[in-house]
Amino acid sequence: MHKILVNVMREEIRMAVIDEEGQLVDFVLERTDESHMANHMYKGTVKNVLNGMQAAFVDIGGSQNAYLNLQQGKEQKILPRLSVGQQILVQVVKEEMLGKGARVTADVSLAGRYMVLLPYSEGMHISKKITDETMRSKLQELATPYVQEGCGFIIRTAAAKASADEIGRDMEYLWRTWQHVLKRFKVAKSGTDLYSDADFWFRLVRDYAHRNVEEIIVDSDMGESRLLDLLGHGPTSQQIKVTRHRDSTPIFKANHIEPQLEDLISRDINLPSGGSIRI
């Protein structure tokens, strides 16, 4: 079983996932003072269409125009004809960096706790780890009304441990969110951020709380309260313990995380044979 350690500071949040022996198996850092664009949806304006490259540049309000690859089949279906000045709905798949604009897609998606809504896909894609045929049939039944509207779903493994009511609420929430995005798109100005991904705590529970985790230890009252609220419903509340770290020794130091992080960025890698590799 794994544990999750969360270190909350004014300028950033650090999360470490450790195994039974205290070895670091995953690490996430989120700086709270930076403006993240990944997974955000924007109303953009096409500034240039490069037919030879099957690409376009879209103004989404950033410092650089975003790059839209039109070679993918789904993009061609959603945007069959693209012209300069056209306003389109896109989602950021890669942040701006090194003087280059963000990379965007018209094939947008909305991630929930148990599934991903695919507005421009059809049908259901259920995790292969959900093997119970009764459960798979129930998922198909719950999704049918939305699929008939022309959308699709990717059902996460986490859905296997959720109740029908929880899955139904997640579907309804994502569908209503998508309808809200469409309504905002019609009236918003170009460059408007129409949708932002969930906050750090929701993503922690959504993406990590079902990965064989038995306890989450956090050194923040706010973080503890948010986690208890998110885990207070459904089967996860009985499986994952939330603990407030109150020791005077910082949480990462107390759990020997700092030396492991230093090893990750070290140029010298010690080998079991006694030798080493310098990067």
Side-chain angles (χ1 to χ4, degrees):
M1 297 293 285
H2 292 171
K3 290 183 180 180
I4 295 178
L5 311 173
V6 186
N7 173 218
V8 180
M9 296 179 282
R10 178 179 299 179
E11 65 278 7
E12 65 185 22
I13 301 177
R14 299 189 298 170
M15 183 193 80
V17 182
I18 59 174
D19 61 16
E20 297 89 341
E21 298 179 353
Q23 294 298 308
L24 184 67
V25 296
D26 208 338
F27 177 74
V28 174
L29 184 147
E30 180 167 305
R31 291 201 167 93
T32 56
D33 60 344
E34 291 185 355
S35 179
H36 297 283
M37 300 174 66
N39 297 320
H40 289 216
M41 295 184 195
Y42 292 87
K43 181 174 184 176
T45 300
V46 178
K47 291 297 184 180
N48 194 10
V49 180
L50 306 176
N51 293 319
M53 294 177 57
Q54 289 189 297
F57 288 96
V58 184
D59 180 7
I60 59 173
S63 58
Q64 302 282 338
N65 289 334
Y67 175 79
L68 173 62
N69 186 349
L70 299 173
Q71 295 182 15
Q72 300 176 358
K74 188 64 69 67
E75 306 286 355
Q76 295 173 1
K77 179 181 178 180
I78 300 170
L79 304 170
R81 295 180 180 178
L82 208 58
S83 58
V84 174
Q86 183 177 343
Q87 293 184 326
I88 59 176
L89 174 63
V90 294
Q91 186 171 31
V92 175
V93 295
K94 189 173 183 180
E95 304 270 2
E96 292 184 356
M97 62 180 298
L98 302 176
K100 294 183 178 180
R103 296 180 66 178
V104 297
T105 178
D107 186 17
V108 301
S109 62
L110 291 88
R113 186 170 181 178
Y114 302 111
M115 68 205 66
V116 178
L117 172 66
L118 307 172
Y120 298 115
S121 295
E122 298 179 357
M124 288 270 288
H125 305 276
I126 303 176
S127 169
K128 293 181 179 179
K129 294 184 179 180
I130 301 178
T131 57
D132 184 87
E133 289 301 325
T134 302
M135 182 63 175
R136 294 179 73 90
S137 297
K138 184 62 177 179
L139 290 171
Q140 291 281 2
E141 178 185 341
L142 289 169
T144 296
Y146 305 102
V147 173
Q148 290 176 343
E149 293 289 337
C151 72
F153 288 99
I154 296 176
I155 305 299
R156 298 172 180 267
T157 305
K161 298 181 180 180
S163 67
D165 287 342
E166 289 175 313
I167 295 171
R169 284 196 298 268
D170 207 17
M171 285 183 176
E172 180 65 16
Y173 167 75
L174 292 175
W175 177 253
R176 288 183 178 275
T177 300
W178 173 237
Q179 297 306 307
H180 179 67
V181 170
L182 292 177
K183 289 179 181 179
R184 289 196 64 197
F185 177 80
K186 293 180 180 179
V187 299
K189 296 180 180 179
S190 179
T192 299
D193 188 345
L194 302 175
Y195 168 81
S196 303
D197 198 12
D199 69 5
F200 170 84
W201 303 103
F202 185 92
R203 284 184 280 114
L204 184 157
V205 173
R206 182 188 72 191
D207 299 335
Y208 294 91
H210 301 280
R211 296 184 181 181
N212 204 28
V213 172
E214 64 177 357
E215 183 179 14
I216 302 176
I217 307 174
V218 58
D219 61 2
S220 158
D221 289 334
M222 178 275 294
E224 178 189 28
S225 176
R226 185 84 172 100
L227 288 170
L228 288 173
D229 180 59
L230 289 169
L231 293 169
H233 305 87
T236 54
S237 61
Q238 302 174 4
Q239 299 175 9
I240 301 179
K241 177 183 178 182
V242 177
T243 303
R244 173 69 164 87
H245 179 81
R246 300 186 183 278
D247 195 284
S248 58
T249 304
I251 184 171
F252 272 28
K253 184 175 181 180
N255 290 275
H256 311 290
I257 302 299
E258 300 292 1
Q260 297 186 65
L261 292 177
E262 291 176 3
D263 286 343
L264 287 177
I265 61 175
S266 174
R267 294 184 61 189
D268 295 315
I269 308 299
N270 294 321
L271 302 176
S273 62
S276 64
I277 297 176
R278 169 160 291 187
I279 301 174

